[in-house]
Amino acid sequence: MGSRGHYRYHWQSHNVKQSGVDDMVLLSKITEDSIVENLKKRYMDDYIFTYIGPVLISVNPFKQMPYFSEKEVEMYQGAAPYENPPHIYALADHMYRNMVIDRENQCVIISGESGAGKTVAAKYIMGYISRISGGGPKVQHVKDIILQSNPLLEAFGNAKTVRNNNSSRFGKYFEIQFSPGGEPDGGKISNFLLEKSRVVMRNPGERSFHIFYQLIEGANAEQRSNLGITSLEYYYYLNQSGSYKVDDINDKSDFQETIHAMNVIGIFSDEQAMVLQIVAGVLHLGNITFKESGNYAAVESEEFLAFPAFLLGINQNRLKEKLTSRQMDSKWGGKSESINVTLNVEQACYTRDALSKALHARVFDFLVDSINKAMEKDHEEYNIGVLDIYGFEIFQKNGFEQFCINFVNEKLQQIFIELTLKAEQEEYIQEGIKWTPIDYFNNKIVCDLIESKVNPPGIMSILDDVCATMHAVGEGADQTLLQKLRMQIGTHDHFNSWNQGFIVHHYAGKVSYDVDGFCERNRDVLFTDLIELMQSSEIPFIKALFPESLQAEKKGRPTTAGSKIKKQANDLVSTLMKCTPHYIRCIKPNETKKPKDWEESRVKHQVEYLGLKENIRVRRAGYAYRRIFRKFLNRYAILTKESWASWHGDEKQGVLHLLRSVNIDPDQFQLGRTKVFIKAPESLFLLEETRERKYDGFARTIQKAWRKYTARKRYVQMREEASDLLLNRKERRRHSINRNFVGDYIGMDDRPELRKFVGKREKIDFADTVTKYDRRFKGIKRDLILTPKCVYLIGREKVKQGPEKGQVREVMKRRIEVERITAVSASTMQDDFIILHEQEYDSLLECTFKTEFISLLAKRFEERTQRKLPLKFSNTLDLKLKKENWGPWSAGGSRQVQFLQGQGDMAILKPSSKTLQVSIGPGLPKNSRKCCAKCISEVVSRKWCFKMVIYIASQIGKTSHNSVHNSVHHRPAPGYLQAQPKGTGSKMERPSLPQPHSINKERNQRLQPNLDFLRVPDQGAAGIQRQMTNRPPPGGGRPKPAPKPKPQMPQCKALYAYDAQDTDELSFNADDVIEIVREVSWFRGRLQKAISEV
């Protein structure tokens, strides 16, 4: 991380109390009880994240935690693994850096049951990656779309369930696409199995999708009038479950956030209006009721037809016709004939609900497609995938949707087992690594029970066969399904049946499924009558949502919902297998959705079925890190000269050479056939730290060379400007005319005792030790400091009282603001004397680097006053004294400094009462400039410096990757059609809204939910198999590798004794050893004990 100041200190670092262990691989006892106890300790102390090696365990806190701010983003960005406490940002940063460095696609699989916090975890990952990745305005636009897609899809795809107030009722795999430089420049969303049935029905105590409630609560007056918005109780689709409000959800403000998200994504305002119009149309469709008329269905109150017909742009009579009858095609004797069949009440209700579900599902697909078009890029390079999918769930009544959801979770559990338990152990065997196998429950047997095609066929295959033979709304089809299941798979260990359905022994426990409606929902057929009805709409937007060609000849068996989700799940598994996976295992601590509430049995059940104990045991007995030889050599080639820039020879020997170069113990690693395996994370940290130091050294070399070049260039210019100030006005010293300007001659960076007198953000232009002369011309050492604002003179005094009495301390003797200086005087000879003239009194100084000081002072004076600094050159200079409050000099007065021609380069001083005579020999002529030979050496030095920068950059570039910033091609705002005029899009006159009293009151009966299903489920056959597995004892702890010795500072030994003459000098004796801390103009050292002479 480097030096990030206070960002290095995390909120947890101030907690003295230790809450369990950060990484459960370090637990002393590996049992379910010890895992649960460790998680509980951390949860109660607000530590919600814990590691199992690279796997992150996240416990839902049911409250906002304090450690997701910019401070944490800075702390985890670029930090080594385990450098900071466990955090989702650490996993996200590791994933992002792996993608950039290794040029490999990454993915994170977030799993857990409903309400465990998966959606929030996905948001934090996308938010973190968005913050740390660079880019300009176009990249920022893509980032905004990525972040704003969450509230938009949550509005149309999330709902309150008994288990979770913001439950995802669809699956989402979000691929964030990056340029080679690591900038997000595109993206793609794949969505799975939207729970359409929630639009028309749901369990007691639950809500429909958030958007319906947002529209009713957040619509303005014009929208309420145009869309027929009234109260929540008015709409049958909303009032049947008796749940309207959610404690931690503000539907009104969320509605504005949804509208803002559509604007950011680029959905036209007219398209937004159409989306909301369809949402309202679905609500009004639900208020259409039917009555029985001669064994057939008839609309009970036709006034309820008017508003949905108006909002959907269709004819009211045509809507009534299509809801109560259906056109069926029959073939007889090679001829086809169409007949109209009148529906009964049950069939009419089914048709109405099918239309409502289709409208909402197609609007959802339109939004997903709009997001994808807004982020579309021409070609894919690298991506990070975030899988946020519905969690495993059990309700009082579990139908077809719960069956599909739990099947997908079985597949995700299988991926975790395949890659963390099964594949890891198989890899050790393949690579010839010594290994004792660890048993675990493999849920592949459950996946096969559900999705197998033959021998025996799975539940989905049997379901599809039954659906292929059913007609219309087949009341007996569900019972036929149940009979076939009993016949073909009734003896399976993970399957049972009961009078209304069947039971599957999932990895997370037994779930009872009610077969009522299974076949109808699996068919997922939208009759052609309804498609024709929507294609007859006057609104082009609605027409475009139904693009089917009804004239095309239908071949083969129609695709069912079950076969779709099975294909999507297998495609998802294939996609995830192509990426480097990362895992977040979310745990739900309670069913009350309250913070600090811990249900021991529930957490223990999740720990068991997630296989955390087996995961810990594999990590402890195994190796924390493995890499193929070639990639290991590429990453750590910089560690030695022999391997840089590429290793020539056997790859295995190259890896061994690198490991030995950092002194990793042989028992801390093993070399397989194609990979290196490193046991302890500390060994990996040592490799990473050494690598960082090497790269840091190269970077510093480049910086040093570049700074040297720019500094030379700047100081040459400054020196020329300084020479012009003194040209033809003052003689120059022989060795000063070609001297480089340094600026800081006393090392202010290492002098906090001096730095404290200067402003916190003031830059040091010049600092040197000078001699200041008082009214009696007695010389006193002072530190002269020049900043853009002020000139400081710092002296030393002994403390006269207090605990520090007798000690010498730095004291500010004078502070002069630059603009208050009236002039600077100097002689015409080669001496070092200058006088700073100020309104109150003057200061006589002898400064070795006077030319540099005067030039910098003149520059700062001009910046602050917009005029030139007055410079006076004379061999007789007047000095104004400070007024004293006591003694014979209280009146102030003046002194005079006279300069006489003498001999030699050293000034000889002869003070008298009011005059100081300074005699010095002649210097270089007043018109002297720097010599040409020096100019040539300067040019050669610059060229060499620049070539060195280019050479080092090219060497590092051999192993680093060039950043190519691909432009994001922004398309017009996505949509299925061109922008429509404002309004509803229909030419029909808006009808009046019917009164709610005409709705069938019997439909509004409230049902009290039965919450027995919230109890911890029976573990079933999967739990029994987990308990029966024989496990060998866990592996012991590992010794940590020895730390690398600290680098030694250069040292020197004193030949003679020396007594300090000033406060900033060091006294020492013969044979004392002095560590050289810094070399500026003088050596700065630290005294150590004496050693004998060698």
Side-chain angles (χ1 to χ4, degrees):
M1 283 181 59
S3 58
R4 283 196 174 92
H6 66 281
Y7 288 125
R8 293 184 61 85
Y9 299 97
H10 191 255
W11 71 279
Q12 292 176 339
S13 66
H14 302 295
N15 263 332
V16 177
K17 183 177 179 181
Q18 291 293 322
S19 296
V21 295
D22 286 353
D23 191 335
M24 290 195 288
V25 173
L26 304 176
L27 284 173
S28 56
K29 293 175 65 177
I30 307 177
T31 62
E32 273 90 1
D33 290 336
S34 61
I35 295 170
V36 172
E37 182 62 27
N38 187 68
L39 292 174
K40 181 180 179 181
K41 283 181 185 177
R42 296 177 63 75
Y43 176 76
M44 290 302 180
D45 290 333
D46 286 339
Y47 295 77
I48 66 171
F49 298 118
T50 310
Y51 290 133
I52 298 178
V55 178
L56 181 69
I57 310 300
S58 173
V59 183
N60 191 345
F62 291 108
K63 65 178 181 179
Q64 184 62 44
M65 302 306 290
Y67 39 80
F68 294 97
S69 64
E70 287 293 335
K71 176 180 176 181
E72 280 70 37
V73 172
E74 288 285 342
M75 187 176 72
Y76 283 92
Q77 184 178 355
Y82 300 97
E83 181 179 329
N84 296 309
H87 202 290
I88 196 169
Y89 286 169
L91 180 140
D93 188 76
H94 182 60
M95 190 165 50
Y96 175 76
R97 289 203 295 159
N98 279 4
M99 182 204 67
V100 173
I101 294 171
D102 297 334
R103 295 297 190 256
E104 291 179 351
N105 293 339
Q106 310 286 313
C107 71
V108 57
I109 301 172
I110 309 172
S111 58
E113 63 183 50
S114 181
K118 300 181 298 299
T119 299
V120 176
K123 288 182 190 175
Y124 280 131
I125 287 174
M126 289 192 281
Y128 178 84
I129 292 174
S130 177
R131 287 194 220 176
I132 66 168
S133 51
K138 290 184 178 180
V139 171
Q140 186 59 45
H141 178 65
V142 173
K143 291 181 182 180
D144 292 339
I145 294 172
I146 291 170
L147 297 179
Q148 290 301 318
S149 67
N150 285 314
L152 179 59
L153 294 183
E154 282 184 18
F156 286 82
N158 284 29
K160 175 193 180 294
T161 67
V162 179
R163 290 185 174 275
N164 185 1
N165 289 344
N166 186 33
S167 177
S168 298
R169 309 316 299 164
F170 70 104
K172 176 180 67 176
Y173 184 64
F174 202 131
E175 292 181 73
I176 308 173
Q177 298 168 350
F178 294 85
S179 69
E183 298 169 343
D185 57 356
K188 180 183 176 183
I189 295 177
S190 303
N191 63 304
F192 312 97
L193 188 70
L194 177 70
E195 190 188 25
K196 297 182 292 186
S197 62
R198 184 164 291 272
V199 174
V200 300
M201 63 175 292
R202 65 207 64 91
N203 291 321
E206 298 187 349
R207 295 206 317 176
S208 185
F209 295 108
H210 294 323
I211 186 61
F212 297 113
Y213 306 89
Q214 291 179 9
L215 177 62
I216 293 171
E217 294 291 336
N220 57 39
E222 182 182 357
Q223 288 172 327
R224 299 182 75 86
S225 174
N226 291 337
L227 303 179
I229 302 299
T230 62
S231 63
L232 291 163
E233 295 84 356
Y234 178 81
Y235 305 99
Y236 170 63
Y237 279 161
L238 303 184
N239 65 32
Q240 58 179 311
S241 62
S243 179
Y244 302 111
K245 302 287 185 181
V246 183
D247 292 338
D248 55 351
I249 292 179
N250 187 328
D251 292 313
K252 188 172 183 179
S253 62
D254 287 351
F255 179 69
Q256 299 304 321
E257 190 175 356
T258 301
I259 298 299
H260 173 68
M262 286 196 275
N263 288 327
V264 171
I265 288 164
I267 299 175
F268 295 133
S269 59
D270 295 317
E271 291 177 328
Q272 295 178 28
M274 289 298 103
V275 168
L276 298 179
Q277 190 167 316
I278 293 173
V279 171
V282 169
L283 291 176
H284 287 289
L285 274 175
N287 284 350
I288 301 173
T289 58
F290 304 94
K291 62 183 179 180
E292 195 169 313
S293 176
N295 293 328
Y296 297 113
V299 175
E300 187 173 6
S301 179
E302 294 198 6
E303 61 182 344
F304 285 95
L305 288 168
F307 225 98
F310 163 71
L311 292 175
L312 299 176
I314 53 180
N315 182 272
Q316 179 177 332
N317 293 326
R318 190 170 171 78
L319 174 62
K320 181 178 70 171
E321 176 191 347
K322 294 300 182 184
L323 292 179
T324 56
S325 65
R326 181 178 305 155
Q327 184 177 347
M328 300 187 68
D329 296 330
S330 64
K331 289 185 178 181
W332 187 263
K335 296 181 180 180
S336 60
E337 184 180 359
S338 297
I339 57 175
N340 282 329
V341 178
T342 307
L343 307 178
N344 60 30
V345 172
E346 181 186 357
Q347 292 170 332
C349 289
Y350 175 82
T351 303
R352 175 202 64 200
D353 291 346
L355 178 58
S356 299
K357 291 189 290 184
L359 283 168
H360 185 81
R362 299 199 180 203
V363 167
F364 187 82
D365 289 340
F366 162 75
L367 295 174
V368 172
D369 192 52
S370 299
I371 295 169
N372 285 336
K373 286 182 178 178
M375 299 187 296
E376 189 178 18
K377 58 184 288 190
D378 295 335
H379 60 285
E380 293 187 15
E381 287 163 314
Y382 309 107
N383 67 70
I384 291 177
V386 181
L387 179 63
D388 174 24
I389 207 160
Y390 20 58
F392 188 91
E393 58 188 23
I394 306 174
F395 294 127
Q396 183 65 33
K397 180 181 179 181
N398 301 289
F400 177 72
E401 286 79 8
Q402 279 67 48
F403 177 71
C404 293
I405 287 170
N406 292 341
F407 162 66
V408 174
N409 278 271
E410 286 282 357
K411 295 292 287 185
L412 294 182
Q413 175 70 2
Q414 189 183 9
I415 290 179
F416 183 80
I417 289 171
E418 286 284 339
L419 297 180
T420 62
L421 300 176
K422 183 173 182 287
E424 183 164 347
Q425 297 193 71
E426 289 178 351
E427 184 179 38
Y428 294 145
I429 296 170
Q430 291 171 1
E431 290 287 329
I433 304 298
K434 295 178 182 178
W435 180 255
T436 302
I438 292 174
D439 294 331
Y440 58 91
F441 169 67
N442 191 339
N443 72 326
K444 187 177 185 300
I445 188 172
V446 183
C447 294
D448 291 341
L449 168 66
I450 297 173
E451 66 174 341
S452 179
K453 293 183 178 180
V454 290
N455 297 327
I459 296 173
M460 283 187 169
S461 295
I462 297 172
L463 177 60
D464 285 348
D465 288 340
V466 173
C467 290
T469 59
M470 66 180 286
H471 300 284
V473 183
E475 292 86 351
D478 293 329
Q479 288 303 314
T480 303
L481 168 66
L482 188 55
Q483 291 174 9
K484 286 196 172 187
L485 289 174
R486 287 169 178 165
M487 289 173 55
Q488 300 193 41
I489 57 175
T491 58
H492 198 286
D493 290 340
H494 291 259
F495 178 88
N496 300 115
S497 64
W498 55 298
N499 57 349
Q500 294 183 7
F502 60 91
I503 299 171
V504 175
H505 297 237
H506 288 285
Y507 77 99
K510 295 197 299 186
V511 182
S512 299
Y513 296 102
D514 192 330
V515 295
D516 183 30
F518 246 71
C519 294
E520 197 58 54
R521 292 177 187 173
N522 184 52
R523 285 181 69 195
D524 195 27
V525 175
L526 185 64
F527 297 112
T528 56
D529 300 71
L530 299 179
I531 297 175
E532 287 177 349
L533 177 66
M534 290 296 99
Q535 290 179 348
S536 69
S537 172
E538 296 178 357
I539 304 173
F541 182 88
I542 294 178
K543 271 185 174 181
L545 293 178
F546 295 84
E548 290 92 339
S549 174
L550 300 178
Q551 307 303 322
E553 185 179 353
K554 298 177 181 178
K555 296 180 180 180
R557 181 183 293 185
T559 304
T560 61
S563 59
K564 283 180 185 175
I565 193 63
K566 185 165 68 171
K567 182 179 183 303
Q568 288 176 334
N570 288 318
D571 290 344
L572 175 63
V573 169
S574 299
T575 301
L576 296 175
M577 288 292 192
K578 295 175 184 176
C579 304
T580 301
H582 306 262
Y583 306 96
I584 300 176
R585 310 289 264 172
C586 297
I587 290 179
K588 187 178 184 181
N590 60 63
E591 284 293 347
T592 62
K593 306 168 193 169
K594 295 179 181 178
K596 296 295 178 85
D597 185 8
W598 186 266
E599 295 180 19
E600 193 90 7
S601 59
R602 176 166 301 282
V603 177
K604 185 175 181 179
H605 176 63
Q606 294 173 75
V607 166
E608 287 174 351
Y609 76 67
L610 289 174
L612 300 189
K613 182 170 72 170
E614 290 78 10
N615 192 199
I616 293 172
R617 296 179 68 253
V618 170
R619 294 302 304 179
R620 279 189 65 156
Y623 293 83
Y625 175 86
R626 76 285 318 272
R627 211 65 179 273
I628 62 174
F629 294 148
R630 177 178 51 80
K631 288 189 175 182
F632 186 87
L633 284 169
N634 288 342
R635 181 160 183 80
Y636 300 109
I638 198 172
L639 298 186
T640 67
K641 293 180 180 179
E642 292 80 6
S643 58
W644 180 263
S646 61
W647 173 263
H648 302 287
D650 182 54
E651 289 182 344
K652 193 171 186 177
Q653 291 301 315
V655 171
L656 189 61
H657 167 74
L658 289 174
L659 292 170
R660 288 172 175 169
S661 71
V662 291
N663 299 321
I664 294 181
D665 293 337
D667 61 347
Q668 291 296 318
F669 66 88
Q670 282 200 52
L671 299 181
R673 295 184 176 92
T674 62
K675 295 182 179 180
V676 55
F677 294 83
I678 297 178
K679 195 176 257 303
E682 293 86 353
S683 302
L684 180 61
F685 303 157
L686 179 62
L687 284 165
E688 286 293 319
E689 183 181 356
T690 309
R691 178 179 179 272
E692 289 295 325
R693 286 180 180 174
K694 289 285 186 178
Y695 271 108
D696 185 62
F698 273 174
R700 288 176 185 274
T701 302
I702 293 175
Q703 291 172 350
K704 181 180 178 181
W706 177 251
R707 286 171 180 166
K708 185 177 180 180
Y709 168 71
T710 55
R712 279 175 176 269
K713 188 175 180 181
R714 183 173 68 253
Y715 283 121
V716 165
Q717 183 180 357
M718 287 173 54
R719 194 169 61 198
E720 290 175 352
E721 292 173 355
S723 296
D724 291 340
L725 288 176
L726 306 183
L727 187 64
N728 296 321
R729 305 168 81 177
K730 184 175 176 66
E731 295 177 357
R732 303 297 302 277
R733 284 190 177 274
R734 195 172 306 278
H735 299 294
S736 70
I737 194 165
N738 290 312
R739 185 186 62 80
N740 291 325
F741 286 0
V742 175
D744 182 5
Y745 293 91
I746 57 179
M748 288 291 289
D749 289 343
D750 296 325
R751 302 287 294 275
E753 71 277 11
L754 298 178
R755 186 84 207 192
K756 67 182 180 181
F757 297 109
V758 182
K760 285 186 178 180
R761 291 181 175 83
E762 278 194 87
K763 177 186 175 185
I764 305 297
D765 287 337
F766 180 86
D768 187 27
T769 301
V770 302
T771 303
K772 188 260 182 186
Y773 291 89
D774 61 11
R775 62 181 65 239
R776 290 173 294 177
F777 302 116
K778 179 183 177 182
I780 309 167
K781 291 289 184 183
R782 294 282 187 264
D783 290 318
L784 173 65
I785 301 171
L786 171 65
T787 71
K789 295 181 180 179
C790 299
V791 175
Y792 300 87
L793 286 170
I794 311 298
R796 274 84 178 160
E797 287 183 357
K798 281 190 177 182
V799 180
K800 296 180 180 178
Q801 57 186 359
E804 296 182 350
K805 183 179 179 181
Q807 296 184 17
V808 177
R809 288 287 178 263
E810 288 73 17
V811 180
M812 184 185 293
K813 291 296 186 178
R814 192 170 189 190
R815 178 179 179 272
I816 310 172
E817 295 178 357
V818 170
E819 56 268 28
R820 291 180 61 84
I821 296 175
T822 58
V824 175
S825 297
S827 74
T828 62
M829 298 184 180
Q830 64 162 330
D831 60 274
D832 295 326
F833 285 86
I834 58 172
I835 298 178
L836 298 180
H837 297 280
E838 196 252 353
Q839 296 173 3
E840 188 178 353
Y841 65 96
D842 302 336
S843 293
L844 174 61
L845 307 175
E846 187 177 14
C847 177
T848 305
F849 308 116
K850 59 187 178 303
T851 306
E852 182 177 353
F853 174 74
I854 293 173
S855 66
L856 291 170
L857 178 61
K859 181 180 178 182
R860 295 304 182 191
F861 183 86
E862 187 173 358
E863 287 176 358
R864 298 191 68 83
T865 64
Q866 306 303 314
R867 56 192 178 88
K868 299 288 186 181
L869 175 68
L871 297 177
K872 301 177 182 178
F873 294 92
S874 173
N875 288 338
T876 301
L877 303 178
D878 292 324
L879 176 68
K880 183 169 63 175
L881 300 180
K882 180 181 180 181
K883 294 181 180 180
E884 301 287 355
N885 296 325
W886 56 275
W889 303 283
S890 59
S894 63
R895 297 289 185 270
Q896 196 175 72
V897 184
Q898 297 177 353
F899 296 88
L900 306 174
Q901 191 72 41
Q903 299 292 326
D905 293 333
M906 297 295 294
I908 298 173
L909 309 184
K910 292 183 179 180
S912 61
S913 59
K914 290 191 176 184
T915 303
L916 174 65
Q917 289 185 350
V918 180
S919 60
I920 192 169
L924 295 175
K926 296 179 181 179
N927 60 354
S928 299
R929 283 187 174 274
K930 60 183 181 179
C931 62
C932 296
K934 190 68 177 178
C935 296
I936 295 170
S937 67
E938 289 274 350
V939 173
V940 172
S941 177
R942 292 179 202 172
K943 289 182 178 179
W944 175 87
C945 185
F946 186 71
K947 286 180 179 179
M948 185 174 67
V949 172
I950 299 301
Y951 168 74
I952 296 174
S954 66
Q955 289 297 306
I956 293 180
K958 289 181 181 179
T959 54
S960 61
H961 301 273
N962 295 326
S963 296
V964 179
H965 304 280
N966 291 334
S967 300
V968 180
H969 299 287
H970 293 284
R971 304 177 183 279
Y976 285 82
L977 70 163
Q978 297 298 319
Q980 301 296 323
K982 289 187 177 180
T984 64
S986 172
K987 299 178 181 177
M988 294 184 289
E989 183 179 352
R990 187 181 75 85
S992 60
L993 201 63
Q995 294 301 315
H997 61 77
S998 57
I999 303 176
N1000 187 356
K1001 300 296 182 183
E1002 294 180 2
R1003 299 165 59 189
N1004 297 334
Q1005 294 180 354
R1006 305 288 189 268
L1007 298 175
Q1008 291 299 322
N1010 183 350
L1011 301 182
D1012 290 343
F1013 64 90
L1014 294 180
R1015 296 175 180 169
V1016 177
D1018 188 340
Q1019 297 190 34
I1024 294 171
Q1025 288 192 21
R1026 276 195 293 268
Q1027 294 169 7
M1028 292 175 59
T1029 53
N1030 296 319
R1031 306 180 177 99
R1038 300 180 296 269
K1040 294 184 179 180
K1044 197 168 183 180
K1046 295 183 179 179
Q1048 295 291 326
M1049 291 185 175
Q1051 298 178 341
C1052 64
K1053 186 173 69 173
L1055 298 178
Y1056 309 101
Y1058 179 76
D1059 291 328
Q1061 304 298 312
D1062 207 341
T1063 55
D1064 60 349
E1065 293 182 352
L1066 188 66
S1067 297
F1068 51 83
N1069 298 316
D1071 295 332
D1072 279 354
V1073 174
I1074 302 171
E1075 283 188 346
I1076 306 301
V1077 178
R1078 183 185 176 98
E1079 178 184 355
V1080 192
S1081 57
W1082 292 80
F1083 286 100
R1084 298 187 57 77
R1086 183 186 298 119
L1087 188 62
Q1088 287 193 341
K1089 62 181 181 179
I1091 61 173
S1092 59
E1093 185 174 349
V1094 179

